[in-house]
Amino acid sequence: MTRRELDAAGITDPSLRAAYTRCRRLNARHGRTYFLATRLLPVERRCAVHALYGFARWADDIVDDLDRPRPPKERDLLLRRLESDLAHGLRTGGGDEPVVRAVADTSARYDIEHTLFADFLASMRSDLHVADYPTYADLRTYMHGSAAVIGLQMLPVLGTVTSREEAAPHAADLGVAFQLTNFLRDVGEDLDRGRVYLPADLLAAHGVDRPLLEWSRRTGRRDSRIREALVAAEAMTREVYRAAEPGIAMLDPRVRPCIRTAFTLYRGILDAIADQGYTVLHRRAVVSGGRRAATAAVGVVHIMRARRRARAADRAPRASRAALQGKGPVR
């Protein structure tokens, strides 16, 4: 499958093929939902998505790798080296890290704005010293770099039937919706890292603060106030999904089933959280394998329909030209 993706994307240089393959492995290992949806994309576009995800995961691992504990100063230095390597790669197409070479090549192929990568790395660096967010507005500022820009990076790869400017706000919202879902799912794990991504004002409105969250995480005991706050966070997240959803219809018809599948699977995590009684401080909510498979199957059906329509649309102009030339229909 990897060779087919690389060939379809026109990536022939051996070192560059190896770099993209490295990104694909990162996607497969760390982003099960995302990787499943990516496999529904047209084959020639998958490498670019793997590169964008692989780079994001590489930077995120520098910040959050619990297996190799490093002091914040060392992590900051690694991020700055990555940032310098990326700046060089975006200028020259090179880079020391394979993920940098792949993402620099993707940026050049799809004309992705370089500022989006700078904004992303700025948010990653803030994770080294910012432990919580007083308001939702503060969190949205952080998520512009950590999530919205991912949607904006993806947009040129996916393609649109409208202007990129019209689709951009929805693409940004989709990135934010996915990250808010992760924040809600990973409340306990993030707390172990010393961070609380749920806005402090939302928590306080239900009588919740960091010490209460830490007590619940430590003891395994539940509290109705925490549950109410998590319900409110879920409602907030669903509002962002509603804002993002109209953008799916603005995408290239061939990629809509992929994005719809990712949309459905990620939003399904919210359903799983609710079904498990909002116990995210004590266990991770996941979408069942059966539901993931069923959603993917629906996506495949829609992809086949979209491809048939695309082939029919491609044949129609040729048939019209032949008729005008007096040659009859093309068969």
Side-chain angles (χ1 to χ4, degrees):
M1 179 63 75
T2 302
R3 181 179 298 176
R4 178 169 170 255
E5 291 172 353
L6 291 165
D7 290 345
I11 300 166
T12 57
D13 179 80
S15 66
L16 197 55
R17 287 171 74 92
Y20 273 102
T21 299
R22 168 67 171 150
C23 292
R24 187 182 189 276
R25 289 173 182 159
L26 286 169
N27 193 357
R29 185 166 73 247
H30 291 289
R32 292 187 304 165
T33 297
Y34 201 67
F35 183 71
L36 176 62
T38 301
R39 294 185 67 182
L40 301 177
L41 282 173
V43 65
E44 72 276 5
R45 303 190 200 184
R46 296 176 196 168
C47 288
V49 176
H50 293 319
L52 293 171
Y53 183 90
F55 177 78
R57 172 51 61 181
W58 190 263
D60 191 61
D61 280 351
I62 291 175
V63 174
D64 281 337
D65 189 353
L66 298 180
D67 294 331
R68 291 181 294 173
R70 300 185 179 102
K73 285 186 178 180
E74 183 178 348
R75 293 176 187 265
D76 181 70
L77 178 61
L78 290 171
L79 276 178
R80 291 186 185 279
R81 286 177 179 170
L82 178 61
E83 187 172 27
S84 176
D85 192 22
L86 177 65
H88 172 74
L90 292 173
R91 288 195 308 269
T92 66
D96 294 333
E97 293 289 350
V99 292
V100 169
R101 292 197 295 274
V103 84
D105 182 70
T106 290
S107 176
R109 287 173 184 265
Y110 289 95
D111 192 26
I112 299 173
E113 295 180 21
H114 294 183
T115 56
L116 297 177
F117 298 102
D119 290 347
F120 170 75
L121 289 173
S123 283
M124 291 299 97
R125 189 175 297 110
S126 75
D127 274 333
L128 299 177
H129 56 83
V130 177
D132 50 45
Y133 296 86
T135 68
Y136 183 53
D138 295 319
L139 183 63
R140 285 293 297 234
T141 298
Y142 165 78
M143 289 192 296
H144 165 73
S146 63
V149 299
I150 305 299
L152 297 173
Q153 290 168 6
M154 285 280 293
L155 201 55
V157 177
L158 299 176
T160 63
V161 295
T162 65
S163 68
R164 192 182 298 183
E165 292 73 20
E166 184 180 358
H170 302 289
D173 279 335
L174 189 58
V176 169
F178 287 171
Q179 186 164 63
L180 283 172
T181 301
N182 288 342
F183 287 162
L184 190 56
R185 180 195 63 192
D186 299 339
V187 170
E189 295 174 18
D190 288 331
L191 198 60
D192 293 342
R193 297 184 177 102
R195 303 194 199 107
V196 177
Y197 287 105
L198 300 182
D201 59 351
L202 181 149
L203 295 173
H206 300 277
V208 178
D209 57 14
R210 180 189 285 262
L212 182 60
L213 294 175
E214 290 172 341
W215 167 83
S216 180
R217 177 70 169 172
R218 184 177 63 255
T219 65
R221 296 176 64 181
R222 304 182 187 183
D223 187 290
S224 62
R225 293 169 295 177
I226 294 176
R227 186 184 191 282
E228 290 169 1
L230 295 175
V231 169
E234 178 202 0
M236 177 182 72
T237 304
R238 289 189 186 277
E239 282 293 327
V240 184
Y241 275 103
R242 281 190 281 272
E245 189 167 13
I248 298 175
M250 300 178 185
L251 299 174
D252 179 337
R254 291 176 296 167
V255 308
R256 290 175 198 165
C258 166
I259 303 307
R260 173 63 67 181
T261 297
F263 182 97
T264 301
L265 287 171
Y266 258 93
R267 193 171 58 178
I269 295 173
L270 297 179
D271 297 332
I273 290 170
D275 291 343
Q276 294 179 13
Y278 301 91
T279 56
V280 287
L281 276 168
H282 313 123
R283 58 173 174 163
R284 203 175 205 247
V286 297
V287 178
S288 70
R291 183 171 179 180
R292 286 159 53 85
T295 301
V298 171
V300 169
V301 171
H302 287 299
I303 285 171
M304 299 308 296
R305 290 174 180 171
R307 288 176 180 172
R308 284 197 296 269
R309 286 194 293 268
R311 287 195 294 267
D314 181 60
R315 287 194 297 267
R318 288 187 285 131
S320 298
R321 288 195 298 271
L324 288 172
Q325 295 169 1
K327 297 180 180 178
V330 175
R331 300 187 183 279

